[in-house]
Amino acid sequence: MPPLRRPLRMLAAVLLLLCSLAALSVSAEAKVHHHTWDIAYRYKTLDCVEKLAVTINGESPGPTIHATQGDTIVVTVHNKLETENTGIHWHGIRQIRSPWADGVVGVTQCPILPGDTFTYRFVVDRPGTYFYHAHYGMQRVAGLDGMLVVSAPDGVAEPFTYDEERTVLLMDWWHKSVYEQAVGLASDPLKFVGEPQSLLINGRGVFEPFHCSRAPNGSSDAACNVPRPAGCAPPTLFTAVPGKTYRLRVGSLTSLSALNFAIEGHSMTVVEADGYYVRPVVVDSLFIYSGESYSVLVKADQDPSRNYWAASHVVARERNTTSAMAILSYAGNDPRAPPPTPRPEGPAWDDVRPRVEQSRSLAVAHPDHVLPVPPRADRALLLLNTQNRIGGHTKWAINGVSLAFPSTPYLVSMKRGLQGAYDARPPPETYDYRSYDIAKPPPAANGTVASAVYRLALGSVVDLVLQNTVALNNRSETHPWHLHGHDFWVLAYGDGKFDPERDTARFNLRDPVMKNTVALHPKGWTAVRFVADNPGVWLFHCHIEAHVYMGMAVVFEEGVDKVGRLPKSIMGCGRSRTLP
Ligand SMILES: *[C@@H]1O[C@H](CO)[C@@H](O)[C@H](O)[C@H]1NC(C)=O
Ligand SMILES: *[C@@H]1O[C@H](CO)[C@@H](O)[C@H](O)[C@H]1NC(C)=O
Ligand SMILES: *[C@@H]1O[C@H](CO)[C@@H](O)[C@H](O)[C@H]1NC(C)=O
Ligand SMILES: *[C@@H]1O[C@H](CO)[C@@H](O)[C@H](O)[C@H]1NC(C)=O
Ligand SMILES: [Cu+2]
């Protein structure tokens, strides 16, 4: 009917105009947040013991960055460490169209040299609870980290309500320097970093030798009767007004420890994981692994005449660190008054079952926020997590390959076609899952160190199945794996050995939640799926600092030819020194 065509076309044009006006008004509201950071060592007493920390404008942890979805964040970093490089990663931000701002030294940029200035500029495209932290060597251990909170725009409803929100950053803390730790790991025989001296809640803790925390009053042990510096006491988590509901944005940036977080007498409703809304789950305590974030709702509905303990306990490794305590105070009480009850003990460190069960219960998307998962993968990688002895060193390896960062960042060498800047031979897609015994320590002297890369077809759907084993010490640890540049659907947590013919059928393709960090439990497997639709080069790694330092990582490249012009500021090292 030709007469109708013109009015239809006009209507379409008007609609298009309205839409672009709406888009304009949104982008007009989008803010640019400028931050200027001096990165420097300072003496800090985070756990009542004075020790050097890498600080941001004198603080460790650094300030929480607040923004709204769609905003741009610009951080100008001055490296004032004198003798140490740096680089800062924005954990959970996908860096769409800005892959050079991911902050991973050796992957997306050269290190920021002492005395130099580097500017990170990126858009925060999704609301959620995120982080930033150092991504150079093991520098995160020294305290260079903080939280990044992206709010939903005004008028966009979230699937839950609350009165106020607070951030809770969990860390572990050593009195040994980052150098002592790194050199120990690279030594033969290996000197492990050991258990942390203390755990921190919002950057504060109380160092107390583990045996003292259990000793009776008036113990004769001199180490346990040392007077504490003035002001050394559990910090106040926050002051609650009776009847109000609080959204706690809880994140873990531990270097080693898996944690259990709980507030005495208060249950928590988990509503967000790594920036995605989950089907709400009520828990008494939250297991949280390094690199993960959760929002939990806590209602101030207990006896308001007293205070309550908030506690962070080590799990998954023998508990040789005193649990961290903070005080949830009710309005009207002395916010520093210790609760009248004994400090909570926390769950048994070696009970794996409740941890796996909680991981499974939190892997389901909120029913109104299910993001459809592609029904099948174009490619599946089965990644065996083992330790190997390689060249006289103990290393972590994935399918026998332990990752070593090249001196030229991958993003530069791959985009600019520099031959020989990394190992061109692709790493193995799988391991011999039929005959490999995951319950036995891996065969010694079996593996290589390489800078090899998995090259993914742009837009392809990729499955990653992480397979745990026992390490050289005949123990199987928990590894939190974090993917840069993407979020993935969490398809399944399995026990024992993954069998592709049998276990693919167990994937949740109906309503899996998306995340950027996922736990691999002892002697089990974890399956995730993602779409390789973000041109760049991206790290996928265990978030334990000691493990990634020992090679527990792989690298993905997709569509690097589609990446825009690389900023000169990410170059200057390795073979990128001489680039025009
Ligand atoms: C230790 O001392 C504290 C405070 O002085 C007291 O509340 C607690 O009951 C004592 N514990 C033991 C085991 O005696
Ligand atoms: C914990 O401490 C005990 C006693 O000092 C020690 O035997 C054990 O090896 C320690 N465990 C870890 C994981 O460091
Ligand atoms: C380890 O060694 C065994 C036997 O020597 C070999 O079959 C296997 O492929 C090796 N595995 C890796 C990951 O290199
Ligand atoms: C490893 O530990 C298991 C129990 O978890 C034990 O049965 C086995 O004998 C140990 N193997 C070695 C080589 O120590
Ligand atoms: Cu690990």
Side-chain angles (χ1 to χ4, degrees):
M1 290 181 290
L4 263 182
R5 258 198 210 135
R6 253 177 77 127
L8 266 181
R9 217 182 292 148
M10 275 182 63
L11 183 66
V14 168
L15 279 177
L16 201 70
L17 186 71
L18 284 176
C19 285
S20 45
L21 278 177
L24 263 181
S25 75
V26 166
S27 63
E29 279 170 26
K31 288 201 181 76
V32 182
H33 304 264
H34 290 272
H35 300 273
T36 303
W37 286 357
D38 284 354
I39 310 297
Y41 273 103
R42 291 275 180 276
Y43 279 106
K44 304 299 284 186
T45 45
L46 304 188
D47 66 351
C48 306
V49 175
E50 192 176 61
K51 191 209 157 247
L52 287 182
V54 174
T55 59
I56 295 171
N57 297 339
E59 296 303 322
S60 171
T64 299
I65 295 181
H66 291 276
T68 301
Q69 180 179 14
D71 289 354
T72 296
I73 292 178
V74 182
V75 183
T76 301
V77 174
H78 300 300
N79 179 1
K80 301 197 167 172
L81 294 172
E82 307 286 349
T83 59
E84 202 171 320
N85 298 331
T86 193
I88 299 180
H89 168 57
W90 314 91
H91 182 116
I93 308 303
R94 292 175 296 170
Q95 302 292 357
I96 294 166
R97 285 182 286 279
S98 55
W100 45 77
D102 199 38
V104 185
V105 174
V107 179
T108 61
Q109 70 169 99
C110 290
I112 310 171
L113 301 180
D116 271 2
T117 294
F118 186 94
T119 299
Y120 292 97
R121 184 186 185 95
F122 55 91
V123 173
V124 289
D125 64 322
R126 289 188 44 80
T129 307
Y130 307 110
F131 308 101
Y132 58 82
H133 60 77
H135 222 303
Y136 171 72
M138 288 180 64
Q139 198 173 57
R140 181 159 66 84
V141 164
L144 177 42
D145 65 9
M147 296 185 84
L148 197 174
V149 173
V150 182
S151 305
D154 280 348
V156 175
E158 296 188 284
F160 47 86
T161 56
Y162 53 92
D163 299 302
E164 287 183 49
E165 69 173 65
R166 300 283 186 272
T167 51
V168 180
L169 176 57
L170 305 174
M171 289 164 64
D172 47 10
W173 193 243
W174 279 258
H175 295 163
K176 250 202 283 197
S177 75
V178 62
Y179 290 104
E180 288 171 277
Q181 296 192 36
V183 172
L185 293 174
S187 296
D188 181 22
L190 173 128
K191 265 192 216 288
F192 192 59
V193 301
E195 300 305 306
Q197 272 62 60
S198 49
L199 300 180
L200 307 179
I201 299 178
N202 286 338
R204 293 293 172 271
V206 176
F207 169 65
E208 179 177 25
F210 184 66
H211 69 275
C212 297
S213 69
R214 336 206 107 211
N217 288 349
S219 156
S220 57
D221 187 332
C224 303
N225 287 321
V226 177
R228 299 198 179 287
C232 177
T236 306
L237 188 68
F238 68 97
T239 297
V241 173
K244 282 197 176 184
T245 297
Y246 294 84
R247 175 188 192 164
L248 302 187
R249 295 177 181 269
V250 186
S252 171
L253 283 181
T254 54
S255 293
L256 176 68
S257 315
L259 299 175
N260 179 266
F261 176 75
I263 302 177
E264 185 192 11
H266 295 71
S267 62
M268 303 185 275
T269 306
V270 184
V271 292
E272 180 218 333
D274 297 0
Y276 288 87
Y277 302 128
V278 299
R279 179 190 61 185
V281 177
V282 179
V283 299
D284 288 330
S285 70
L286 180 72
F287 293 105
I288 184 165
Y289 307 94
S290 180
E292 283 191 316
S293 71
Y294 291 97
S295 283
V296 300
L297 303 181
V298 176
K299 193 160 168 54
D301 59 1
Q302 296 300 303
D303 174 6
S305 69
R306 52 160 289 195
N307 293 343
Y308 297 83
W309 294 113
S312 166
H313 311 276
V314 170
V315 290
R317 298 181 65 85
E318 189 178 355
R319 194 175 297 155
N320 275 8
T321 304
T322 302
S323 300
M325 298 291 147
I327 295 168
L328 169 65
S329 173
Y330 271 69
N333 302 338
D334 173 0
R336 297 183 63 93
T341 39
R343 296 168 176 219
E345 291 271 324
W349 69 269
D350 55 353
D351 195 357
V352 180
R353 249 333 80 204
R355 298 200 285 118
V356 177
E357 276 160 22
Q358 191 176 88
S359 290
R360 288 187 181 136
S361 74
L362 295 177
V364 181
H366 188 283
D368 301 335
H369 293 266
V370 176
L371 291 165
V373 55
R376 60 192 61 79
D378 299 308
R379 189 167 167 191
L381 302 177
L382 181 48
L383 304 173
L384 180 74
N385 288 229
T386 54
Q387 265 183 344
N388 285 121
R389 293 278 305 158
I390 307 174
H393 299 277
T394 303
K395 293 281 189 184
W396 283 98
I398 305 306
N399 291 350
V401 178
S402 182
L403 186 79
F405 293 113
S407 58
T408 313
Y410 291 102
L411 183 60
V412 179
S413 54
M414 300 187 94
K415 166 82 178 155
R416 302 291 286 267
L418 303 181
Q419 301 298 314
Y422 57 93
D423 292 308
R425 212 165 69 107
E429 304 264 312
T430 186
Y431 75 104
D432 184 5
Y433 63 88
R434 286 197 179 79
S435 59
Y436 192 95
D437 185 353
I438 64 158
K440 278 211 191 109
N446 191 353
T448 54
V449 172
S451 57
V453 180
Y454 292 99
R455 306 198 73 151
L456 309 175
L458 186 62
S460 62
V461 177
V462 180
D463 277 2
L464 304 171
V465 181
L466 295 158
Q467 176 66 60
N468 213 338
T469 59
V470 299
L472 290 169
N473 63 5
N474 198 27
R475 291 205 201 119
S476 191
E477 293 187 38
T478 302
H479 304 283
W481 277 81
H482 171 61
L483 180 60
H484 291 231
H486 313 79
D487 301 313
F488 45 65
W489 287 273
V490 181
L491 303 184
Y493 294 94
D495 303 317
K497 196 155 70 167
F498 177 80
D499 177 340
E501 279 90 60
R502 183 192 61 207
D503 293 324
T504 310
R506 296 176 47 193
F507 289 175
N508 173 13
L509 301 179
R510 202 163 41 89
D511 56 1
V513 77
M514 295 191 84
K515 291 187 95 237
N516 61 55
T517 304
V518 75
L520 174 60
H521 292 291
K523 297 182 188 168
W525 54 267
T526 300
V528 304
R529 177 170 294 177
F530 74 101
V531 183
D533 57 0
N534 190 9
V537 187
W538 307 106
L539 196 63
F540 179 48
H541 65 100
C542 175
H543 213 258
I544 293 177
E545 280 291 82
H547 291 184
V548 69
Y549 190 74
M550 293 161 75
M552 198 168 208
V554 299
V555 176
F556 298 126
E557 175 275 331
E558 72 220 34
V560 76
D561 51 311
K562 302 279 196 299
V563 169
R565 194 181 159 77
L566 298 179
K568 201 80 177 77
S569 58
I570 66 168
M571 303 182 198
C573 59
R575 298 193 37 200
S576 70
R577 265 197 302 262
T578 50
L579 286 177

